[in-house]
Amino acid sequence: MDIQEYNDQPGLGGHTVTFDLHEADKLHLLHPGQVIAYRGPAHHRTDRLMNMKGIYRKRKLLQANFTGPCRVTASLPPAIGLKRIEFAGGSDLLYDFRHLFFYTEGIRMENRILSMKNMMITRDAVKVKFSGQGQIGILTQGQVIELPLHPEEPLYVEAGRVLAYPEHAKLELSVYGNHLASQHMRYQWKITGQGSVLVQSGGPGSGELVRDLQAEDGIVKRFLREVIPFGGVFIK
C-alpha cells in the first residue's frame, strides 16, 4: 500500500491523504466520514459496526474496510496531522485509541488496563498496544518528535502533548522549577524508564502564544495576569 499526503496551501484549510491499495491490501479506516473520494470496485468497501470497546472509546459506530486494488482519499481538518508508524514485530508503546485513524491488515491490538495510579495521571483506564506486520496512522496536533527516556533522570512532558509512552515506564503527575514556574505551568508527566515517548507539539494551550502576540492589554493587567495565581483564568 502506498500513502501520499497533500498540503500545497498551508493555512488555507486541511489537507488530504491518499491510500493506493494494491491487490490483497486491506485498510481499516476508523473515521469513514473523512473519505471524500474513492476509485475502485464498489464492493471493495464494506462498512461495519465497531465492537463495543471501539464504540465506547472512539465515540463512533462505524469503521470502513477497504480491499485493494482501489484508491481512497481522505481529508484531515486544519491543525490535524497524521503520523504513520510501521510495525515489523512488537512494540512496548501504549497509545490512546482515540488517536487511531487507520490500521492495515496484519496489525494486532491488545488492551492494557492501567494501574489506578496511572488512570489518575492519564485520565484513561485503558491504552492500546500494537504489534504485528503493517502500518497504523495516528492523528496528531502539530509536529511529532521522539524523546528518549532515562531510568533515573526524569523527562518532564506537558501532559496534553504525550501521544505514546512505554508500557513499563514510571509516570508521575508533577511540576518543576522554582515556585513561580511551578505555580504557572500546566501539569507535567514526570517519566522515567527505558525506550522513548512520542510527543506532539500541538495540544492544550497551543493558541496561547498567538494570543500573547496579538494582545493589546496594558502593562498592569499583563503583570497581574502573570503574578497572581490563576491570573490567566480570572483576568481577561
Side-chain angles (χ1 to χ4, degrees):
M1 182 177 70
D2 300 318
I3 304 175
Q4 298 182 24
E5 294 188 55
Y6 301 92
N7 189 15
D8 295 334
Q9 296 177 303
L12 296 182
H15 61 284
T16 59
V17 182
T18 296
F19 303 88
D20 282 307
L21 278 68
H22 307 300
E23 191 75 37
D25 285 343
K26 292 185 178 181
L27 171 71
H28 306 282
L29 197 65
L30 275 62
H31 292 263
Q34 299 305 121
V35 176
I36 59 173
Y38 172 79
R39 183 187 297 275
H43 65 277
H44 280 205
R45 171 176 174 165
T46 56
D47 288 18
R48 68 171 178 82
L49 285 171
M50 291 187 189
N51 59 32
M52 289 307 297
K53 291 180 180 178
I55 292 173
Y56 172 75
R57 300 174 65 192
K58 203 66 174 168
R59 303 295 194 269
K60 289 185 173 293
L61 294 176
L62 298 176
Q63 73 174 53
N65 302 323
F66 297 90
T67 302
C70 66
R71 168 174 283 194
V72 182
T73 301
S75 66
L76 295 177
I80 299 297
L82 185 66
K83 172 69 173 177
R84 304 195 303 271
I85 301 172
E86 187 90 27
F87 286 89
S91 169
D92 67 341
L93 290 180
L94 299 181
Y95 295 82
D96 189 329
F97 189 74
R98 292 175 300 173
H99 294 157
L100 184 63
F101 185 61
F102 77 85
Y103 64 96
T104 62
E105 197 75 3
I107 290 294
R108 297 188 299 272
M109 288 181 268
E110 302 175 63
N111 290 330
R112 290 290 190 264
I113 299 177
L114 304 183
S115 66
M116 186 60 67
K117 176 184 175 182
N118 283 358
M119 286 184 194
M120 299 297 292
I121 294 173
T122 63
R123 298 183 181 179
D124 197 2
V126 181
K127 295 290 186 183
V128 178
K129 185 176 182 179
F130 297 99
S131 61
Q133 302 280 337
Q135 295 185 60
I136 66 172
I138 300 296
L139 296 172
T140 70
Q141 297 182 64
Q143 182 184 7
V144 177
I145 58 174
E146 185 174 351
L147 300 176
L149 294 177
H150 188 275
E152 297 178 0
E153 182 180 346
L155 173 69
Y156 294 88
V157 183
E158 189 175 311
R161 316 276 178 151
V162 178
L163 285 174
Y165 61 89
E167 180 176 8
H168 300 293
K170 181 180 178 182
L171 305 178
E172 296 181 43
L173 207 55
S174 180
V175 291
Y176 63 92
N178 65 2
H179 178 69
L180 191 60
S182 61
Q183 186 180 60
H184 288 273
M185 71 172 55
R186 297 179 182 84
Y187 278 116
Q188 309 283 313
W189 286 9
K190 179 183 176 182
I191 314 176
T192 53
Q194 302 284 348
S196 57
V197 296
L198 295 182
V199 179
Q200 60 183 351
S201 61
S206 296
E208 184 175 321
L209 178 60
V210 176
R211 291 194 300 269
D212 288 346
L213 292 175
Q214 296 175 343
E216 297 181 357
D217 298 334
I219 186 64
V220 174
K221 181 182 288 189
R222 292 166 64 182
F223 175 78
L224 293 176
R225 186 183 289 128
E226 293 293 331
V227 173
I228 297 176
F230 305 106
V233 175
F234 298 112
I235 302 176
K236 302 297 184 181

